[in-house]
């Protein structure tokens, strides 16, 4: 929203005057087009003279700028008119001339005066606002005769931008509209649908309550761009999944191997004919066998139970013991 001074008198048609409406006149309204208008005036630009000439010299400097464009700059000026935002609105034969004039900066007309050119959509009335929301609005109790896309879009265009609506909703007096709006505080609580009679000076209307159902910020961006892989292939073939045993399953396999060896050793001890009382001994599963099983299954020794590590020494271990 932009605030600036305006003198409407030079723009009045013959025989008309301005009615100001008093201090209670509505200060501002909004309009958001359902579809942005096509840009059809890229071949026109606004000339701004510095220092700004007084009002009675605006026409003189408008002609002076036009002559400067046609003469020293050798531009093909198709038309030139008054402008609220400068000394003149100049129309050229193509947009390339406008681009050159705008990007050049200030031109020196005489020792004390310069002129610059701007696009028609970059005047002092142009403003930008950071951040808006998208969400659903619900009308309740709407006259079914106004349940058309054109009427709904016109109704919300004064405070938000119409995106689409749920035209398949079977409930006739409810209308769900998906819109973009600046803030929930700027969304009214109802909309008055009215019409003016062609005769009799009668105006009738229907007031429809409106509710905000949900809103989400529109500036949320997707994830960052992925860097290009070193091999230059952004879409490699999907690798087949690797068959891996879970750690618990691996441990059960090792324990079953040790338990089988322990049962076999106990059976041999019971069938021994020596009759001597045997001292308590560890299972005869050699440590090197346990370590080999652990390496094959990818289980570190730190995850095996103490009983699994207390196995009987293997031949290599017994040989080292004899050497000692």
């Amino acid at each position: 929203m932009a605030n600036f001074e305006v003198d409407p008198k030079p723009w009045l048609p013959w025989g008309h005057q301005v009615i100001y409406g008093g201090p209670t006149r509505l200060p501002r309204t909004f309009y958001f087009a359902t579809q942005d208008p096509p840009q059809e005036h890229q071949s026109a630009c606004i000339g701004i003279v510095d220092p700004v000439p007084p009002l009675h010299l605006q026409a003189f400097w408008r002609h002076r700028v036009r002559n400067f464009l046609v003469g020293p700059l050798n531009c093909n000026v198709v038309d030139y008119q008054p402008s609220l935002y400068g000394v003149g609105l100049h129309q050229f034969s193509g947009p390339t001339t406008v681009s050159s004039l705008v990007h050049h900066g200030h031109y020196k007309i005489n020792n004390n005066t310069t002129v610059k050119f701007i696009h028609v959509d970059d005047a002092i009335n142009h403003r930008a606002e950071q951040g808006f929301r998208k969400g659903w609005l619900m009308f309740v109790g709407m006259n079914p005769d106004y349940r058309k896309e054109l009427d709904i879009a016109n109704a919300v265009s004064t405070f938000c931008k119409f995106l689409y609506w749920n035209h398949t909703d079977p409930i006739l007096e409810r209308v769900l509209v998906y819109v973009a709006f600046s803030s929930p505080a700027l969304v009214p609580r109802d909309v008055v649908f009215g019409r003016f009679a062609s005769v009799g000076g009668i105006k009738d209307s229907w007031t429809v309550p409106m509710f905000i159902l949900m809103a989400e910020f529109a500036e949320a961006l997707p994830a960052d761009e992925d860097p290009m892989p070193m091999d230059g292939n952004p879409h490699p073939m999907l690798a087949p999944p690797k068959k891996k045993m879970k750690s618990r399953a691996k441990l059960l396999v090792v324990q079953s191997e040790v338990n089988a060896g322990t049962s076999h050793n106990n059976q041999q001890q019971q069938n021994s004919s020596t009759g001597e009382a045997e001292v308590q001994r560890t299972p005869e599963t050699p440590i090197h066998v346990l370590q080999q099983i652990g390496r094959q299954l990818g289980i570190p020794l730190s995850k095996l139970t103490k009983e699994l590590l207390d196995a009987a020494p293997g031949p290599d271990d017994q040989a080292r013991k004899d050497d000692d």
Side-chain angles (χ1 to χ4, degrees):
M1 297 175 287
N3 302 325
F4 51 91
E5 296 180 349
V6 178
D7 185 6
K9 295 183 181 64
W11 303 89
L12 290 176
W14 183 85
H16 289 262
Q17 62 181 0
V18 176
I19 299 175
Y20 289 97
T24 59
R25 181 182 174 187
L26 185 66
R28 176 171 284 153
T29 188
F30 300 85
Y31 171 72
F32 299 92
T34 303
Q35 294 183 352
D36 295 334
Q39 295 182 344
E40 299 177 348
H41 295 83
Q42 299 306 304
S43 299
C45 64
I46 300 172
I48 300 176
V49 172
D50 186 26
V52 179
L55 182 61
H56 67 279
L57 294 178
Q58 290 282 333
F60 168 80
W61 281 104
R62 182 164 56 254
H63 292 286
R64 182 74 179 270
V65 171
R66 184 261 178 189
N67 294 334
F68 176 76
L69 291 169
V70 175
L73 297 185
N74 195 22
C75 296
N76 183 16
V77 179
V78 178
D79 188 19
Y80 65 105
Q81 301 179 11
S83 175
L84 180 64
Y85 309 110
V87 297
L89 176 64
H90 299 82
Q91 181 77 28
F92 300 91
S93 58
T96 56
T97 303
V98 175
S99 298
S100 299
L101 293 173
V102 170
H103 288 88
H104 182 275
H106 290 265
Y107 291 91
K108 189 174 182 179
I109 298 180
N110 56 35
N111 294 333
N112 300 321
T113 307
T114 61
V115 61
K116 70 174 183 178
F117 300 92
I118 62 173
H119 291 289
V120 293
D121 52 359
D122 289 335
I124 60 173
N125 65 335
H126 182 217
R127 295 291 188 273
E129 181 182 0
Q130 178 65 36
F132 65 94
R133 296 169 173 84
K134 291 182 179 180
W136 286 94
L137 302 180
M138 180 179 67
F139 291 91
V140 179
M142 178 179 287
N143 187 328
D145 292 337
Y146 286 101
R147 199 175 185 271
K148 301 178 178 63
E149 182 171 320
L150 178 61
D151 294 323
I152 297 171
N154 291 334
V156 302
S157 64
T158 59
F159 57 88
C160 63
K161 181 175 182 177
F162 172 86
L163 299 178
Y164 55 88
W165 70 297
N166 184 14
H167 62 279
T168 60
D169 191 351
I171 302 178
L172 293 180
E173 291 192 0
R174 181 184 68 185
V175 174
L176 301 173
V177 191
Y178 194 69
V179 298
F181 55 94
S182 299
S183 171
L186 299 178
V187 178
R189 299 184 183 276
D190 62 39
V191 174
V192 179
F193 290 79
R195 64 182 180 183
F196 292 85
S198 58
V199 294
I202 299 176
K203 179 175 72 75
D204 53 355
S205 63
W206 295 265
T207 301
V208 181
M210 184 175 57
F211 303 91
I212 304 174
L213 300 187
M214 61 173 295
E216 56 186 9
F217 286 98
E219 61 265 21
L221 298 176
D224 294 335
E225 293 284 347
D226 294 333
M228 180 61 65
M230 296 299 295
D231 59 358
N233 184 8
H235 307 290
M237 297 295 293
L238 181 64
K242 297 181 180 180
K243 297 181 179 180
K244 294 183 178 180
M245 299 178 61
K246 296 183 179 180
S247 299
R248 182 176 180 83
K250 294 178 181 180
L251 187 58
L252 292 176
V253 171
V254 176
Q255 288 179 343
S256 62
E257 295 282 347
V258 175
N259 293 336
T262 304
S263 302
H264 179 70
N265 293 335
N266 293 336
Q267 185 67 27
Q268 289 182 348
Q269 292 175 6
Q270 293 177 2
N271 297 333
S272 177
S273 58
T274 56
E276 297 179 356
E278 293 185 1
V279 295
Q280 185 178 2
R281 54 183 296 180
T282 58
E284 294 183 358
T285 302
I287 294 180
H288 73 281
V289 175
L290 183 61
Q291 293 175 344
Q292 182 180 4
I293 296 175
R295 284 194 301 269
Q296 293 177 353
L297 297 178
I299 304 177
L301 293 178
S302 58
K303 292 186 177 181
L304 299 177
T305 60
K306 184 176 181 302
E307 290 78 9
L308 299 180
L309 296 176
D310 291 337
D316 296 340
D317 299 328
Q318 187 63 36
R320 285 194 296 270
K321 182 176 179 181
D322 295 340
D323 294 341
D324 296 338

